Amino acid sequence: MIKPRINILALGGTIATRPDASGAMQMGLGADDLVAAVPELAALADITAETVSKVGSHSLGFDQIHALAVRIAGLDTDGVIVTQGTDTLEETAFLLDLLLVRDIPVIVTAAMRNPALTSPDGPGNLLAAVRVACDPWIRAHARVLGVMAVMLDEVYAAADVVKAHPTRLNAFAAPQSGPLAALVEDRIVPLSRPVREPITLAQARLGDASHGKAQPVALLWLGLDEPGFLVQALLDGRDHLGYRGVVLGAMGGGHVPERMAPLATRLAEVLPVVMSARAGAGGPLLRQTYGGPSSEIALRKAGLIWGGRLQPLKARVLLETCLRAGLGRAAIAEVFDAFG
Ligand code: ASP
């Protein structure tokens, strides 16, 4: 039997750490080390391992992920596994999903427990990711599944996966949609298919965003009694403090504190401002239920962009990508609108 060719691209993260003399975990392992720790991989696939970087994912940047997408787009292979840290996996996987149109599985995986601990999850996650990449159902549906995350024997769509806990082993989930598939014994059990239309529309509008310049997007999480001083600073600061867009982690179905409504409205006149649900793991916002100056009807009329079902971190990734691609306010609103 011809084995699938799988490329493993290692970025760093807990999965690639090792202890220093003091016992603190430091980046250190490369892709070859990760592969060597899982001898079973050789029976499943022809593996090519490449160390792209050795950084914690909290220090990755949009530019690096754009470069990674270009690299993945150019690979002659049957599947790609990206290993990285868990801190930003929900963002990088979604960005790759927006940037890549490929008919092969592209999977991001990581580890919550470092290699020095008893029962680290990195080797198991890497083996699971390769199993998923080699699976006939996954390969047959690769384009519609889009970029996937594999953690703890579950497969998630990039648009849905969230890091739901900072330290627990089972930190990842897709609360809105559930997993796409589960690994049981050595089988992949399909469970669902993602709704792909919003991503396809975004990709059509984005074109080739990889040549664009970084576009800083501020993320402001709105809490009880938020006075709006940061929004005021964005309005008053020179060049809006360098930001090119803003995501507001909105209350409830799309609300801001009443005293902030005039500020949010003014901000939306000068920068694209996306409203995204702070509750849960995102979820579609209301559009036409509540009246009053701080509710969805008024804010939508005032020009705030509705983030649909995307949670704030993913909305920020999409807004950065839209701005990088040079989209104007109307096109950005259309892209977000497709997400509900
Ligand atoms: N700080 C690490 C990172 O994201 C955490 C991890 O990998 O789980 O790179």
Side-chain angles (χ1 to χ4, degrees):
M1 194 190 84
I2 299 175
K3 288 186 283 187
R5 298 162 301 162
I6 302 291
N7 285 61
I8 296 177
L9 303 173
L11 303 187
T14 289
I15 193 168
T17 53
R18 61 182 173 200
D20 67 16
S22 75
M25 299 308 290
Q26 304 276 5
M27 294 301 140
L29 304 183
D32 287 336
D33 302 308
L34 302 186
V35 171
V38 192
E40 298 92 327
L41 294 179
L44 292 175
D46 276 332
I47 303 283
T48 304
E50 184 186 334
T51 305
V52 177
S53 61
K54 291 185 178 179
V55 295
S57 72
H58 41 272
S59 300
L60 289 171
F62 281 94
D63 286 348
Q64 279 156 288
I65 304 303
H66 277 269
L68 182 69
V70 170
R71 174 95 186 90
I72 293 173
L75 285 174
D76 178 20
T77 186
D78 299 314
V80 177
I81 314 290
V82 175
T83 63
Q84 64 158 88
T86 60
D87 288 357
T88 58
L89 188 152
E90 63 202 302
E91 294 158 89
T92 57
F94 183 51
L95 179 54
L96 287 173
D97 199 26
L98 291 170
L99 300 178
L100 286 169
V101 183
R102 288 219 58 172
D103 290 322
I104 57 165
V106 178
I107 294 169
V108 187
T109 193
M112 288 300 295
R113 289 172 64 78
N114 70 60
L117 294 171
T118 304
S119 68
D121 51 327
N125 284 341
L126 183 57
L127 178 60
V130 172
R131 266 197 214 293
V132 172
C134 295
D135 177 75
W137 183 80
I138 296 282
R139 292 177 67 183
H141 297 92
R143 187 179 281 232
V144 80
L145 293 169
V147 173
M148 292 163 271
V150 170
M151 293 294 285
L152 264 198
D153 288 351
E154 289 198 325
V155 184
Y156 304 105
D160 294 305
V161 69
V162 297
K163 187 175 183 181
H165 194 277
T167 55
R168 231 166 41 194
L169 182 59
N170 59 339
F172 284 82
Q176 290 196 68
S177 60
L180 301 173
L183 275 88
V184 181
E185 299 165 337
D186 56 1
R187 291 169 293 128
I188 311 306
V189 180
L191 298 172
S192 62
R193 289 184 204 180
V195 176
R196 201 63 194 155
E197 286 79 358
I199 304 284
T200 315
L201 183 128
Q203 287 176 332
R205 294 291 173 277
L206 290 168
D208 182 4
S210 61
H211 300 301
K213 253 183 47 225
Q215 304 286 329
V217 172
L219 171 54
L220 305 181
W221 200 269
L222 302 183
L224 179 72
D225 209 20
E226 167 61 51
F229 298 150
L230 286 170
V231 173
Q232 189 72 62
L234 282 168
L235 284 166
D236 296 344
R238 195 165 67 85
D239 192 29
H240 310 300
L241 308 176
Y243 286 106
R244 298 289 169 260
V246 179
V247 172
L248 295 179
M251 294 158 143
H255 308 140
V256 303
E258 192 141 336
R259 67 168 150 166
M260 249 197 74
L263 288 173
T265 300
R266 276 176 52 209
L267 191 63
E269 285 162 11
V270 294
L271 288 176
V273 180
V274 174
M275 294 280 277
S276 166
R278 68 171 203 174
L285 297 169
L286 299 173
R287 293 184 177 205
Q288 51 186 25
T289 298
Y290 293 101
S294 58
S295 63
E296 71 277 3
I297 294 175
L299 294 173
R300 278 169 63 77
K301 258 197 206 128
L304 281 89
I305 295 166
W306 239 229
R309 72 182 183 82
L310 294 175
Q311 47 99 293
L313 290 174
K314 294 195 197 276
R316 180 175 170 275
V317 167
L318 182 57
L319 182 54
E320 208 276 355
T321 313
C322 287
L323 291 167
R324 196 181 272 254
L327 301 193
R329 204 203 153 280
I332 295 172
E334 187 200 0
V335 167
F336 274 96
D337 206 51
F339 284 91

PDB file of all heavy atoms in Angstrom, residues 47-82:
ATOM      1  N   ILE A  47       6.670  10.589   6.289  1.00  0.00           N
ATOM      2  CA  ILE A  47       6.690  11.866   6.992  1.00  0.00           C
ATOM      3  C   ILE A  47       7.882  12.718   6.551  1.00  0.00           C
ATOM      4  O   ILE A  47       9.011  12.245   6.477  1.00  0.00           O
ATOM      5  CB  ILE A  47       6.816  11.635   8.524  1.00  0.00           C
ATOM      6  CG1 ILE A  47       5.685  10.752   9.053  1.00  0.00           C
ATOM      7  CG2 ILE A  47       6.919  12.964   9.269  1.00  0.00           C
ATOM      8  CD1 ILE A  47       4.364  11.421   9.229  1.00  0.00           C
ATOM      9  N   THR A  48       7.612  13.985   6.266  1.00  0.00           N
ATOM     10  CA  THR A  48       8.674  14.967   6.097  1.00  0.00           C
ATOM     11  C   THR A  48       8.511  15.987   7.204  1.00  0.00           C
ATOM     12  O   THR A  48       7.431  16.572   7.352  1.00  0.00           O
ATOM     13  CB  THR A  48       8.557  15.682   4.728  1.00  0.00           C
ATOM     14  OG1 THR A  48       8.563  14.688   3.706  1.00  0.00           O
ATOM     15  CG2 THR A  48       9.706  16.648   4.512  1.00  0.00           C
ATOM     16  N   ALA A  49       9.557  16.170   7.995  1.00  0.00           N
ATOM     17  CA  ALA A  49       9.453  17.059   9.155  1.00  0.00           C
ATOM     18  C   ALA A  49      10.297  18.306   8.941  1.00  0.00           C
ATOM     19  O   ALA A  49      11.432  18.230   8.460  1.00  0.00           O
ATOM     20  CB  ALA A  49       9.913  16.330  10.409  1.00  0.00           C
ATOM     21  N   GLU A  50       9.737  19.445   9.284  1.00  0.00           N
ATOM     22  CA  GLU A  50      10.457  20.708   9.085  1.00  0.00           C
ATOM     23  C   GLU A  50      10.225  21.627  10.286  1.00  0.00           C
ATOM     24  O   GLU A  50       9.083  21.854  10.687  1.00  0.00           O
ATOM     25  CB  GLU A  50       9.904  21.394   7.822  1.00  0.00           C
ATOM     26  CG  GLU A  50      10.619  22.664   7.459  1.00  0.00           C
ATOM     27  CD  GLU A  50       9.950  23.384   6.276  1.00  0.00           C
ATOM     28  OE1 GLU A  50       9.293  22.704   5.453  1.00  0.00           O
ATOM     29  OE2 GLU A  50      10.065  24.604   6.200  1.00  0.00           O
ATOM     30  N   THR A  51      11.295  22.142  10.838  1.00  0.00           N
ATOM     31  CA  THR A  51      11.175  23.103  11.943  1.00  0.00           C
ATOM     32  C   THR A  51      11.084  24.497  11.350  1.00  0.00           C
ATOM     33  O   THR A  51      12.040  24.997  10.749  1.00  0.00           O
ATOM     34  CB  THR A  51      12.391  23.011  12.879  1.00  0.00           C
ATOM     35  OG1 THR A  51      12.523  21.655  13.321  1.00  0.00           O
ATOM     36  CG2 THR A  51      12.231  23.922  14.078  1.00  0.00           C
ATOM     37  N   VAL A  52       9.942  25.124  11.502  1.00  0.00           N
ATOM     38  CA  VAL A  52       9.741  26.472  10.951  1.00  0.00           C
ATOM     39  C   VAL A  52      10.209  27.518  11.953  1.00  0.00           C
ATOM     40  O   VAL A  52      10.814  28.523  11.597  1.00  0.00           O
ATOM     41  CB  VAL A  52       8.247  26.689  10.597  1.00  0.00           C
ATOM     42  CG1 VAL A  52       7.995  28.108  10.099  1.00  0.00           C
ATOM     43  CG2 VAL A  52       7.788  25.664   9.567  1.00  0.00           C
ATOM     44  N   SER A  53       9.899  27.294  13.228  1.00  0.00           N
ATOM     45  CA  SER A  53      10.345  28.220  14.276  1.00  0.00           C
ATOM     46  C   SER A  53      10.303  27.486  15.608  1.00  0.00           C
ATOM     47  O   SER A  53       9.772  26.369  15.698  1.00  0.00           O
ATOM     48  CB  SER A  53       9.443  29.464  14.326  1.00  0.00           C
ATOM     49  OG  SER A  53       8.102  29.100  14.621  1.00  0.00           O
ATOM     50  N   LYS A  54      10.837  28.117  16.619  1.00  0.00           N
ATOM     51  CA  LYS A  54      10.776  27.538  17.967  1.00  0.00           C
ATOM     52  C   LYS A  54      10.306  28.638  18.913  1.00  0.00           C
ATOM     53  O   LYS A  54      11.075  29.158  19.710  1.00  0.00           O
ATOM     54  CB  LYS A  54      12.156  27.008  18.385  1.00  0.00           C
ATOM     55  CG  LYS A  54      12.610  25.780  17.603  1.00  0.00           C
ATOM     56  CD  LYS A  54      13.928  25.239  18.139  1.00  0.00           C
ATOM     57  CE  LYS A  54      14.352  23.986  17.389  1.00  0.00           C
ATOM     58  NZ  LYS A  54      15.636  23.453  17.853  1.00  0.00           N
ATOM     59  N   VAL A  55       9.049  29.002  18.784  1.00  0.00           N
ATOM     60  CA  VAL A  55       8.522  30.093  19.620  1.00  0.00           C
ATOM     61  C   VAL A  55       7.227  29.658  20.287  1.00  0.00           C
ATOM     62  O   VAL A  55       6.496  28.794  19.775  1.00  0.00           O
ATOM     63  CB  VAL A  55       8.258  31.390  18.806  1.00  0.00           C
ATOM     64  CG1 VAL A  55       9.529  31.973  18.272  1.00  0.00           C
ATOM     65  CG2 VAL A  55       7.253  31.141  17.692  1.00  0.00           C
ATOM     66  N   GLY A  56       6.943  30.283  21.427  1.00  0.00           N
ATOM     67  CA  GLY A  56       5.644  30.106  22.050  1.00  0.00           C
ATOM     68  C   GLY A  56       4.587  30.746  21.165  1.00  0.00           C
ATOM     69  O   GLY A  56       4.854  31.784  20.535  1.00  0.00           O
ATOM     70  N   SER A  57       3.411  30.163  21.123  1.00  0.00           N
ATOM     71  CA  SER A  57       2.424  30.687  20.167  1.00  0.00           C
ATOM     72  C   SER A  57       1.901  32.049  20.592  1.00  0.00           C
ATOM     73  O   SER A  57       1.336  32.781  19.789  1.00  0.00           O
ATOM     74  CB  SER A  57       1.276  29.707  19.970  1.00  0.00           C
ATOM     75  OG  SER A  57       0.440  29.669  21.096  1.00  0.00           O
ATOM     76  N   HIS A  58       2.121  32.431  21.872  1.00  0.00           N
ATOM     77  CA  HIS A  58       1.756  33.781  22.301  1.00  0.00           C
ATOM     78  C   HIS A  58       2.644  34.825  21.610  1.00  0.00           C
ATOM     79  O   HIS A  58       2.340  36.014  21.663  1.00  0.00           O
ATOM     80  CB  HIS A  58       1.872  33.902  23.830  1.00  0.00           C
ATOM     81  CG  HIS A  58       3.091  33.222  24.371  1.00  0.00           C
ATOM     82  ND1 HIS A  58       3.088  31.892  24.725  1.00  0.00           N
ATOM     83  CD2 HIS A  58       4.350  33.665  24.563  1.00  0.00           C
ATOM     84  CE1 HIS A  58       4.306  31.551  25.136  1.00  0.00           C
ATOM     85  NE2 HIS A  58       5.084  32.604  25.042  1.00  0.00           N
ATOM     86  N   SER A  59       3.749  34.380  21.003  1.00  0.00           N
ATOM     87  CA  SER A  59       4.649  35.324  20.328  1.00  0.00           C
ATOM     88  C   SER A  59       4.596  35.200  18.806  1.00  0.00           C
ATOM     89  O   SER A  59       5.403  35.819  18.107  1.00  0.00           O
ATOM     90  CB  SER A  59       6.092  35.117  20.800  1.00  0.00           C
ATOM     91  OG  SER A  59       6.179  35.314  22.191  1.00  0.00           O
ATOM     92  N   LEU A  60       3.695  34.391  18.291  1.00  0.00           N
ATOM     93  CA  LEU A  60       3.545  34.324  16.834  1.00  0.00           C
ATOM     94  C   LEU A  60       2.884  35.609  16.330  1.00  0.00           C
ATOM     95  O   LEU A  60       2.222  36.323  17.093  1.00  0.00           O
ATOM     96  CB  LEU A  60       2.668  33.127  16.441  1.00  0.00           C
ATOM     97  CG  LEU A  60       3.288  31.737  16.617  1.00  0.00           C
ATOM     98  CD1 LEU A  60       2.227  30.656  16.403  1.00  0.00           C
ATOM     99  CD2 LEU A  60       4.446  31.539  15.632  1.00  0.00           C
ATOM    100  N   GLY A  61       3.027  35.873  15.048  1.00  0.00           N
ATOM    101  CA  GLY A  61       2.413  37.066  14.474  1.00  0.00           C
ATOM    102  C   GLY A  61       1.644  36.727  13.209  1.00  0.00           C
ATOM    103  O   GLY A  61       1.808  35.638  12.645  1.00  0.00           O
ATOM    104  N   PHE A  62       0.806  37.657  12.788  1.00  0.00           N
ATOM    105  CA  PHE A  62       0.041  37.458  11.549  1.00  0.00           C
ATOM    106  C   PHE A  62       0.983  37.192  10.375  1.00  0.00           C
ATOM    107  O   PHE A  62       0.715  36.329   9.538  1.00  0.00           O
ATOM    108  CB  PHE A  62      -0.824  38.689  11.254  1.00  0.00           C
ATOM    109  CG  PHE A  62      -2.088  38.751  12.074  1.00  0.00           C
ATOM    110  CD1 PHE A  62      -2.130  39.457  13.260  1.00  0.00           C
ATOM    111  CD2 PHE A  62      -3.233  38.109  11.652  1.00  0.00           C
ATOM    112  CE1 PHE A  62      -3.290  39.516  14.022  1.00  0.00           C
ATOM    113  CE2 PHE A  62      -4.406  38.161  12.395  1.00  0.00           C
ATOM    114  CZ  PHE A  62      -4.436  38.871  13.585  1.00  0.00           C
ATOM    115  N   ASP A  63       2.086  37.958  10.307  1.00  0.00           N
ATOM    116  CA  ASP A  63       2.996  37.807   9.162  1.00  0.00           C
ATOM    117  C   ASP A  63       3.543  36.380   9.072  1.00  0.00           C
ATOM    118  O   ASP A  63       3.657  35.821   7.979  1.00  0.00           O
ATOM    119  CB  ASP A  63       4.182  38.778   9.277  1.00  0.00           C
ATOM    120  CG  ASP A  63       3.770  40.214   8.980  1.00  0.00           C
ATOM    121  OD1 ASP A  63       2.650  40.412   8.464  1.00  0.00           O
ATOM    122  OD2 ASP A  63       4.564  41.122   9.279  1.00  0.00           O
ATOM    123  N   GLN A  64       3.873  35.804  10.247  1.00  0.00           N
ATOM    124  CA  GLN A  64       4.408  34.429  10.229  1.00  0.00           C
ATOM    125  C   GLN A  64       3.362  33.438   9.715  1.00  0.00           C
ATOM    126  O   GLN A  64       3.688  32.497   9.004  1.00  0.00           O
ATOM    127  CB  GLN A  64       4.835  34.016  11.644  1.00  0.00           C
ATOM    128  CG  GLN A  64       6.196  34.526  12.036  1.00  0.00           C
ATOM    129  CD  GLN A  64       6.321  34.602  13.540  1.00  0.00           C
ATOM    130  OE1 GLN A  64       5.726  35.456  14.184  1.00  0.00           O
ATOM    131  NE2 GLN A  64       7.088  33.701  14.112  1.00  0.00           N
ATOM    132  N   ILE A  65       2.120  33.646  10.109  1.00  0.00           N
ATOM    133  CA  ILE A  65       1.082  32.703   9.670  1.00  0.00           C
ATOM    134  C   ILE A  65       0.789  32.889   8.180  1.00  0.00           C
ATOM    135  O   ILE A  65       0.532  31.921   7.462  1.00  0.00           O
ATOM    136  CB  ILE A  65      -0.194  32.842  10.529  1.00  0.00           C
ATOM    137  CG1 ILE A  65       0.154  32.642  12.017  1.00  0.00           C
ATOM    138  CG2 ILE A  65      -1.263  31.843  10.082  1.00  0.00           C
ATOM    139  CD1 ILE A  65       0.819  31.304  12.358  1.00  0.00           C
ATOM    140  N   HIS A  66       0.881  34.128   7.702  1.00  0.00           N
ATOM    141  CA  HIS A  66       0.737  34.339   6.252  1.00  0.00           C
ATOM    142  C   HIS A  66       1.856  33.622   5.500  1.00  0.00           C
ATOM    143  O   HIS A  66       1.615  32.969   4.486  1.00  0.00           O
ATOM    144  CB  HIS A  66       0.745  35.839   5.933  1.00  0.00           C
ATOM    145  CG  HIS A  66      -0.594  36.483   6.121  1.00  0.00           C
ATOM    146  ND1 HIS A  66      -1.513  36.595   5.108  1.00  0.00           N
ATOM    147  CD2 HIS A  66      -1.178  36.995   7.219  1.00  0.00           C
ATOM    148  CE1 HIS A  66      -2.600  37.178   5.565  1.00  0.00           C
ATOM    149  NE2 HIS A  66      -2.437  37.433   6.853  1.00  0.00           N
ATOM    150  N   ALA A  67       3.082  33.739   6.016  1.00  0.00           N
ATOM    151  CA  ALA A  67       4.215  33.053   5.364  1.00  0.00           C
ATOM    152  C   ALA A  67       4.013  31.537   5.422  1.00  0.00           C
ATOM    153  O   ALA A  67       4.307  30.822   4.449  1.00  0.00           O
ATOM    154  CB  ALA A  67       5.523  33.442   6.043  1.00  0.00           C
ATOM    155  N   LEU A  68       3.493  31.063   6.540  1.00  0.00           N
ATOM    156  CA  LEU A  68       3.230  29.623   6.675  1.00  0.00           C
ATOM    157  C   LEU A  68       2.180  29.169   5.651  1.00  0.00           C
ATOM    158  O   LEU A  68       2.314  28.101   5.036  1.00  0.00           O
ATOM    159  CB  LEU A  68       2.743  29.328   8.103  1.00  0.00           C
ATOM    160  CG  LEU A  68       2.463  27.871   8.437  1.00  0.00           C
ATOM    161  CD1 LEU A  68       3.755  27.059   8.474  1.00  0.00           C
ATOM    162  CD2 LEU A  68       1.737  27.749   9.785  1.00  0.00           C
ATOM    163  N   ALA A  69       1.162  29.985   5.466  1.00  0.00           N
ATOM    164  CA  ALA A  69       0.113  29.631   4.495  1.00  0.00           C
ATOM    165  C   ALA A  69       0.693  29.542   3.083  1.00  0.00           C
ATOM    166  O   ALA A  69       0.353  28.632   2.316  1.00  0.00           O
ATOM    167  CB  ALA A  69      -1.024  30.654   4.556  1.00  0.00           C
ATOM    168  N   VAL A  70       1.582  30.479   2.763  1.00  0.00           N
ATOM    169  CA  VAL A  70       2.224  30.439   1.437  1.00  0.00           C
ATOM    170  C   VAL A  70       3.038  29.152   1.302  1.00  0.00           C
ATOM    171  O   VAL A  70       2.997  28.465   0.274  1.00  0.00           O
ATOM    172  CB  VAL A  70       3.121  31.698   1.226  1.00  0.00           C
ATOM    173  CG1 VAL A  70       3.966  31.563  -0.027  1.00  0.00           C
ATOM    174  CG2 VAL A  70       2.258  32.953   1.176  1.00  0.00           C
ATOM    175  N   ARG A  71       3.742  28.812   2.367  1.00  0.00           N
ATOM    176  CA  ARG A  71       4.563  27.581   2.362  1.00  0.00           C
ATOM    177  C   ARG A  71       3.669  26.350   2.166  1.00  0.00           C
ATOM    178  O   ARG A  71       3.965  25.472   1.367  1.00  0.00           O
ATOM    179  CB  ARG A  71       5.308  27.515   3.716  1.00  0.00           C
ATOM    180  CG  ARG A  71       6.100  26.281   3.984  1.00  0.00           C
ATOM    181  CD  ARG A  71       7.564  26.455   3.613  1.00  0.00           C
ATOM    182  NE  ARG A  71       8.289  25.199   3.741  1.00  0.00           N
ATOM    183  CZ  ARG A  71       8.415  24.316   2.751  1.00  0.00           C
ATOM    184  NH1 ARG A  71       7.915  24.564   1.573  1.00  0.00           N
ATOM    185  NH2 ARG A  71       9.083  23.195   2.936  1.00  0.00           N
ATOM    186  N   ILE A  72       2.559  26.293   2.913  1.00  0.00           N
ATOM    187  CA  ILE A  72       1.662  25.130   2.822  1.00  0.00           C
ATOM    188  C   ILE A  72       1.042  25.061   1.419  1.00  0.00           C
ATOM    189  O   ILE A  72       0.923  23.984   0.831  1.00  0.00           O
ATOM    190  CB  ILE A  72       0.567  25.212   3.913  1.00  0.00           C
ATOM    191  CG1 ILE A  72       1.191  25.047   5.302  1.00  0.00           C
ATOM    192  CG2 ILE A  72      -0.525  24.167   3.679  1.00  0.00           C
ATOM    193  CD1 ILE A  72       0.240  25.285   6.470  1.00  0.00           C
ATOM    194  N   ALA A  73       0.676  26.229   0.890  1.00  0.00           N
ATOM    195  CA  ALA A  73       0.041  26.253  -0.438  1.00  0.00           C
ATOM    196  C   ALA A  73       0.978  25.671  -1.498  1.00  0.00           C
ATOM    197  O   ALA A  73       0.519  25.083  -2.483  1.00  0.00           O
ATOM    198  CB  ALA A  73      -0.358  27.688  -0.802  1.00  0.00           C
ATOM    199  N   GLY A  74       2.282  25.803  -1.284  1.00  0.00           N
ATOM    200  CA  GLY A  74       3.244  25.354  -2.289  1.00  0.00           C
ATOM    201  C   GLY A  74       3.733  23.930  -2.104  1.00  0.00           C
ATOM    202  O   GLY A  74       4.523  23.437  -2.923  1.00  0.00           O
ATOM    203  N   LEU A  75       3.296  23.250  -1.057  1.00  0.00           N
ATOM    204  CA  LEU A  75       3.817  21.899  -0.796  1.00  0.00           C
ATOM    205  C   LEU A  75       3.163  20.859  -1.701  1.00  0.00           C
ATOM    206  O   LEU A  75       1.941  20.848  -1.864  1.00  0.00           O
ATOM    207  CB  LEU A  75       3.553  21.512   0.662  1.00  0.00           C
ATOM    208  CG  LEU A  75       4.434  22.156   1.728  1.00  0.00           C
ATOM    209  CD1 LEU A  75       3.928  21.777   3.120  1.00  0.00           C
ATOM    210  CD2 LEU A  75       5.892  21.736   1.556  1.00  0.00           C
ATOM    211  N   ASP A  76       3.994  19.971  -2.250  1.00  0.00           N
ATOM    212  CA  ASP A  76       3.484  18.827  -3.011  1.00  0.00           C
ATOM    213  C   ASP A  76       3.366  17.666  -2.017  1.00  0.00           C
ATOM    214  O   ASP A  76       4.343  16.977  -1.733  1.00  0.00           O
ATOM    215  CB  ASP A  76       4.466  18.499  -4.142  1.00  0.00           C
ATOM    216  CG  ASP A  76       4.001  17.288  -4.936  1.00  0.00           C
ATOM    217  OD1 ASP A  76       2.798  16.958  -4.867  1.00  0.00           O
ATOM    218  OD2 ASP A  76       4.849  16.668  -5.609  1.00  0.00           O
ATOM    219  N   THR A  77       2.183  17.474  -1.456  1.00  0.00           N
ATOM    220  CA  THR A  77       2.026  16.521  -0.361  1.00  0.00           C
ATOM    221  C   THR A  77       0.563  16.070  -0.270  1.00  0.00           C
ATOM    222  O   THR A  77      -0.312  16.625  -0.948  1.00  0.00           O
ATOM    223  CB  THR A  77       2.479  17.179   0.971  1.00  0.00           C
ATOM    224  OG1 THR A  77       2.463  16.201   2.001  1.00  0.00           O
ATOM    225  CG2 THR A  77       1.584  18.339   1.364  1.00  0.00           C
ATOM    226  N   ASP A  78       0.314  15.083   0.584  1.00  0.00           N
ATOM    227  CA  ASP A  78      -1.063  14.593   0.759  1.00  0.00           C
ATOM    228  C   ASP A  78      -1.716  15.128   2.036  1.00  0.00           C
ATOM    229  O   ASP A  78      -2.908  14.893   2.264  1.00  0.00           O
ATOM    230  CB  ASP A  78      -1.057  13.057   0.804  1.00  0.00           C
ATOM    231  CG  ASP A  78      -0.514  12.467  -0.486  1.00  0.00           C
ATOM    232  OD1 ASP A  78      -0.938  12.928  -1.572  1.00  0.00           O
ATOM    233  OD2 ASP A  78       0.344  11.569  -0.410  1.00  0.00           O
ATOM    234  N   GLY A  79      -0.942  15.785   2.869  1.00  0.00           N
ATOM    235  CA  GLY A  79      -1.517  16.325   4.095  1.00  0.00           C
ATOM    236  C   GLY A  79      -0.477  17.108   4.872  1.00  0.00           C
ATOM    237  O   GLY A  79       0.721  16.849   4.739  1.00  0.00           O
ATOM    238  N   VAL A  80      -0.942  18.083   5.647  1.00  0.00           N
ATOM    239  CA  VAL A  80      -0.022  18.936   6.403  1.00  0.00           C
ATOM    240  C   VAL A  80      -0.464  18.982   7.862  1.00  0.00           C
ATOM    241  O   VAL A  80      -1.649  19.162   8.154  1.00  0.00           O
ATOM    242  CB  VAL A  80      -0.001  20.378   5.829  1.00  0.00           C
ATOM    243  CG1 VAL A  80       0.902  21.278   6.667  1.00  0.00           C
ATOM    244  CG2 VAL A  80       0.437  20.376   4.379  1.00  0.00           C
ATOM    245  N   ILE A  81       0.506  18.808   8.750  1.00  0.00           N
ATOM    246  CA  ILE A  81       0.249  18.966  10.186  1.00  0.00           C
ATOM    247  C   ILE A  81       1.113  20.135  10.669  1.00  0.00           C
ATOM    248  O   ILE A  81       2.331  20.137  10.448  1.00  0.00           O
ATOM    249  CB  ILE A  81       0.673  17.720  11.005  1.00  0.00           C
ATOM    250  CG1 ILE A  81       0.204  16.415  10.360  1.00  0.00           C
ATOM    251  CG2 ILE A  81       0.226  17.855  12.449  1.00  0.00           C
ATOM    252  CD1 ILE A  81      -1.252  16.153  10.400  1.00  0.00           C
ATOM    253  N   VAL A  82       0.491  21.092  11.307  1.00  0.00           N
ATOM    254  CA  VAL A  82       1.224  22.193  11.936  1.00  0.00           C
ATOM    255  C   VAL A  82       1.205  21.936  13.435  1.00  0.00           C
ATOM    256  O   VAL A  82       0.144  21.729  14.019  1.00  0.00           O
ATOM    257  CB  VAL A  82       0.547  23.553  11.634  1.00  0.00           C
ATOM    258  CG1 VAL A  82       1.253  24.681  12.390  1.00  0.00           C
ATOM    259  CG2 VAL A  82       0.528  23.823  10.137  1.00  0.00           C
TER     260      VAL A  82
END
